[in-house]
Amino acid sequence: MDHSAGEAGGPAFVLGGGGALGAYEVGMLKALFAQGVKPGMVLGTSVGAINGAAVAAEPSQTAVGRLIELWTGLGKAGVFAGSLMGRVSTAVRSRTHLYTPAPLVDLLREHVQVALIEELEVPFQCVAASIENAAEHWFDRGPLIEAVLASSAVPGLLPPVDVDGEHFVDGGLVNSIPVGRAVALGAREIYVLQVGRIERPLTPPKLPWDVAMVAFEIARRHRFARDMADLPSDVTVHVLPSGAASGEAAGALGQLRHRAFGQTADRIERAYAASSRYLESALDGAAAPTSFVPEGSDSEDPHSAEGPA
């Protein structure tokens, strides 16, 4: 069953936020292309905007190869690296953030060689949170890297992005997995690429630093749950499984460790294996749409996660 971008409408790929866990989405993309599933549109939030831009530029396994290089670069180039004194110096100068976006800009320019959103091969949009308007803002035209940076600007880690006098921060604050946007744009078949959070039940906080993380996770998941509950009857949604290790996506401490890119290759392969199994059943009609199969083991460090949310 070949879903190609040339079909009327075509399936939508919706890529959610998740920082270092966004490597799981690369494995999902690898599985989708191996099954002949190609996007008719791509929507991304935060790190999903980074992955999504690469796919919209070149919707094929070639994009997966570029993303593997990009993710390797995220760890090696030091997007969230540098000495403690360097981070302190940046924080003192800026008074708002710890890191400069320059390494991320360089990586994007190297691996996504498209200047404008309109020039991408597949229609692409990404979301950011407007500070002045306290609302979500969708970028569907204009400079691509500027839009992706705005969607990925994690508060406290990266500076807000100024676009024509309006300031934007991480899109995960307002729409972490934008299924509703895909529906509003006319998609009738949607593949959700997520990082494993929604596969794990939330539990009441037990430690002081868990309180804010659990509260934020409720807000993040509530929007997605509402979008799923409001799906029109003619829309099919496939939520791809991440294959994440038990506890990895849910650990509050892990979600603060934004430099944990060391397990990128393993995450990609976990998601590829889990999503391949799901797609083999789903595309044969044996798996129910909107379902996913939580799985994984305890082999990964449960306290490693995030950068762009």
Side-chain angles (χ1 to χ4, degrees):
M1 184 176 182
D2 182 20
H3 301 251
S4 69
E7 292 178 352
F13 285 9
V14 172
L15 295 93
L21 299 180
Y24 286 120
E25 296 177 351
V26 181
M28 294 172 185
L29 289 167
K30 182 179 177 181
L32 284 164
F33 289 130
Q35 289 290 332
V37 183
K38 295 183 180 181
M41 73 172 76
V42 178
L43 305 177
T45 298
S46 194
V47 74
I50 296 174
N51 291 335
V55 171
E58 193 167 7
S60 69
Q61 288 287 15
T62 301
V64 174
R66 287 185 178 275
L67 280 169
I68 291 172
E69 293 177 0
L70 188 150
W71 275 87
T72 301
L74 285 171
K76 292 182 177 179
V79 173
F80 294 110
S83 68
L84 174 61
M85 288 305 298
R87 297 196 298 274
V88 169
S89 176
T90 300
V92 169
R93 289 195 309 272
S94 70
R95 297 186 292 180
T96 60
H97 56 274
L98 294 174
Y99 300 99
T100 170
L104 179 56
V105 171
D106 291 342
L107 278 173
L108 289 171
R109 286 175 176 165
E110 178 181 356
H111 295 288
V112 186
Q113 298 175 352
V114 175
L116 300 174
I117 293 174
E118 305 93 293
E119 296 172 349
L120 292 166
E121 185 170 335
V122 174
F124 169 78
Q125 296 185 14
C126 63
V127 64
S130 166
I131 293 176
E132 285 83 359
N133 292 317
E136 66 183 67
H137 176 92
W138 284 92
F139 291 91
D140 61 1
R141 66 194 66 221
L144 176 62
I145 290 178
E146 184 178 68
V148 171
L149 285 176
S151 187
S152 307
V154 185
L157 299 186
L158 292 169
V161 175
D162 184 340
V163 181
D164 298 328
E166 189 174 356
H167 297 83
F168 298 95
V169 292
D170 195 285
L173 296 173
V174 288
N175 204 337
S176 185
I177 307 176
V179 168
R181 180 71 174 184
V183 173
L185 291 171
R188 289 299 174 262
E189 183 178 20
I190 300 170
Y191 290 87
V192 172
L193 290 74
Q194 49 83 38
V195 301
R197 287 189 182 114
I198 59 175
E199 299 170 6
R200 309 294 177 188
L202 285 175
T203 57
K206 295 181 176 62
L207 298 169
W209 46 82
D210 284 338
V211 176
M213 295 306 302
V214 170
F216 181 56
E217 196 64 24
I218 290 171
R220 184 200 304 271
R221 296 189 191 190
H222 170 75
R223 176 70 179 267
F224 174 68
R226 187 182 67 192
D227 282 352
M228 294 294 285
D230 291 342
L231 285 176
S233 60
D234 62 339
V235 173
T236 299
V237 177
H238 295 281
V239 181
L240 299 184
S242 68
S246 177
E248 181 187 34
L253 281 178
Q255 297 189 24
L256 298 176
R257 296 182 182 176
H258 44 266
R259 292 189 293 156
F261 291 91
Q263 299 177 55
T264 288
D266 188 48
R267 288 176 180 138
I268 290 172
E269 289 310 307
R270 281 178 179 270
Y272 172 67
S275 291
S276 292
R277 288 192 292 271
Y278 171 84
L279 288 167
E280 286 170 3
S281 296
L283 298 183
D284 287 337
T290 77
S291 66
F292 52 88
V293 184
E295 57 179 272
S297 67
D298 294 326
S299 62
E300 286 197 66
D301 175 5
H303 297 307
S304 56
E306 318 220 323

